[in-house]
Amino acid sequence: MYEISEIVAEKWKTAVDNRNCQIIGLTGAGISAESGIPTFRGADGYWKIGSMNFTPIEIATLERFRDYPWEVWHWYLTRIYQHRRAQPNDGHQALVELEKLLDERFRLITQNVDGLHLKAGNSAEKVYEIHGNLNYMRIFDSSRPNLLPMPNLVEELDPNEPLPEEVKSKLRDEAGNLMRPHVLWFDEMYSEELYRSESALKAAQEADLLLTIGTTGATSLPALILKTVVHHGGIVIDINPEATWFSDYLMISGGYHLKGPSGVFLPKLMELVE
Ligand code: APR
């Protein structure tokens, strides 16, 4: 069960051993599933559980926050509470070892906002959090927003009760500006300044091998990253217990699919090169 074929092992070892090879990871919610954090589109996924009045896809927008900031905050604070209790798993740790092994030849692009890659020990300059990080917040209507740490206000909130006043007071800066979660919303654009999106695409353009881990590839930049690496002849290995359009695309473009959990396959890949 969960074996790595000889051809994948050979491609992997050759790329890791070749000092001219750039290797990048692209992670999605699946890598955090074994840490107890729900995915987005899985059975218990975040896009299945909305707030009192809105569906998830409706609530994760700038438009909704402008009109109902406290309801949007309420939904995010519940997620932050889950994140704060989660620990990195063997998959996260394997990517820390990979960074230590490859150093400048490695970059990690993540769609996850749980902060678990940094918590595991990957370095901030090599991790591109292209959808943000819920450990930070920023001024809502500022053109040059600076990130502030999310205050330690988070306790389990009653989903059926409005946000308590003492919690609301901590979601403003010292000048009284309303803060927002540092995440990319569905009606917003990627940006280098906030989400390192241009750096992520540059890393894809230079990558000789891409590991896609725990993602359905449902958003635009991850899909472009995959196609960019395939287009210039890079090797792509997808790790996911399920088949997705990523794994289907790789079947026709010569990539590889390791069908199983990242907490098993990533440590196995590291065993091959340590
Ligand atoms: N190991 C690897 N993959 C797993 C595991 C696991 N243990 N458990 C589940 N998965 C896979 C699922 O099979 C699924 O394909 O993780 C994937 C999670 O997919 P999504 O829930 O769609 O999450 P993700 O791909 O990260 O979503 C991308 O969409 O809505 C936006 O901003 C949101 O960042 C998110 C983006």
Side-chain angles (χ1 to χ4, degrees):
M1 187 137 178
Y2 304 136
E3 292 308 314
I4 297 176
S5 70
E6 276 186 33
I7 188 168
V8 172
E10 197 46 45
K11 296 272 186 188
W12 170 248
K13 287 189 285 190
T14 305
V16 170
D17 293 345
N18 179 343
R19 292 193 173 285
N20 297 316
C21 268
Q22 291 291 118
I23 295 177
I24 63 174
L26 169 63
T27 60
I31 195 170
S32 296
E34 292 163 78
S35 296
I37 296 179
T39 62
F40 289 94
R41 296 168 180 84
D44 62 342
Y46 283 121
W47 293 157
K48 302 283 193 304
I49 309 156
S51 72
M52 287 185 281
N53 304 309
F54 303 108
T55 66
I57 302 289
E58 284 176 329
I59 201 164
T61 61
L62 178 66
E63 180 192 3
R64 196 67 59 212
F65 187 85
R66 185 173 285 118
D67 298 338
Y68 302 95
W70 303 126
E71 186 153 0
V72 175
W73 261 120
H74 197 304
W75 186 71
Y76 277 99
L77 288 173
T78 303
R79 288 178 58 191
I80 293 165
Y81 179 76
Q82 288 177 322
H83 294 169
R84 289 275 165 93
R85 293 184 304 162
Q87 292 305 320
N89 62 58
D90 292 345
H92 294 102
Q93 295 306 346
L95 291 178
V96 174
E97 289 163 37
L98 185 57
E99 176 182 331
K100 286 177 184 155
L101 187 63
L102 300 177
D103 192 17
E104 277 313 306
R105 295 198 286 136
F106 177 73
R107 289 296 182 273
L108 180 54
I109 302 162
T110 186
Q111 304 170 82
N112 298 341
V113 296
D114 56 32
L116 285 185
H117 287 305
L118 299 185
K119 192 172 186 178
N122 282 111
S123 50
E125 65 272 13
K126 294 189 177 72
V127 177
Y128 301 150
E129 296 176 312
I130 59 172
H131 290 167
N133 182 330
L134 276 177
N135 287 308
Y136 296 93
M137 57 186 190
R138 60 184 208 251
I139 297 176
F140 170 51
D141 54 2
S142 161
S143 58
R144 293 195 58 75
N146 298 317
L147 299 187
L148 294 178
M150 187 70 67
N152 276 326
L153 47 68
V154 182
E155 63 284 331
E156 190 143 21
L157 296 169
D158 182 338
N160 302 311
E161 289 297 322
L163 210 53
E165 286 310 314
E166 70 269 17
V167 172
K168 287 180 183 176
S169 65
K170 295 180 183 175
L171 298 172
R172 292 185 181 280
D173 69 359
E174 285 157 9
N177 296 302
L178 175 62
M179 308 302 282
R180 59 165 283 173
H182 174 50
V183 290
L184 176 63
W185 279 326
F186 281 106
D187 54 354
E188 293 184 306
M189 304 292 286
Y190 285 106
S191 86
E192 174 64 13
E193 182 189 29
L194 285 170
Y195 305 113
R196 311 278 301 272
S197 48
E198 290 166 23
S199 300
L201 196 51
K202 181 173 181 295
Q205 290 159 351
E206 297 166 354
D208 299 290
L209 186 144
L210 166 66
L211 284 175
T212 55
I213 305 156
T215 183
T216 50
T219 48
S220 57
L221 182 54
L224 180 58
I225 285 165
L226 172 76
K227 291 181 177 174
T228 299
V229 176
V230 169
H231 179 75
H232 69 243
I235 299 164
V236 184
I237 300 170
D238 182 51
I239 299 176
N240 194 321
E242 292 174 353
T244 65
W245 83 262
F246 263 29
S247 50
D248 295 345
Y249 184 82
L250 293 177
M251 272 172 61
I252 57 173
S253 57
Y256 305 94
H257 178 203
L258 298 178
K259 197 171 171 62
S262 47
V264 171
F265 272 123
L266 285 172
K268 278 179 175 280
L269 286 173
M270 289 313 295
E271 283 162 20
L272 292 172
V273 291
E274 278 173 334

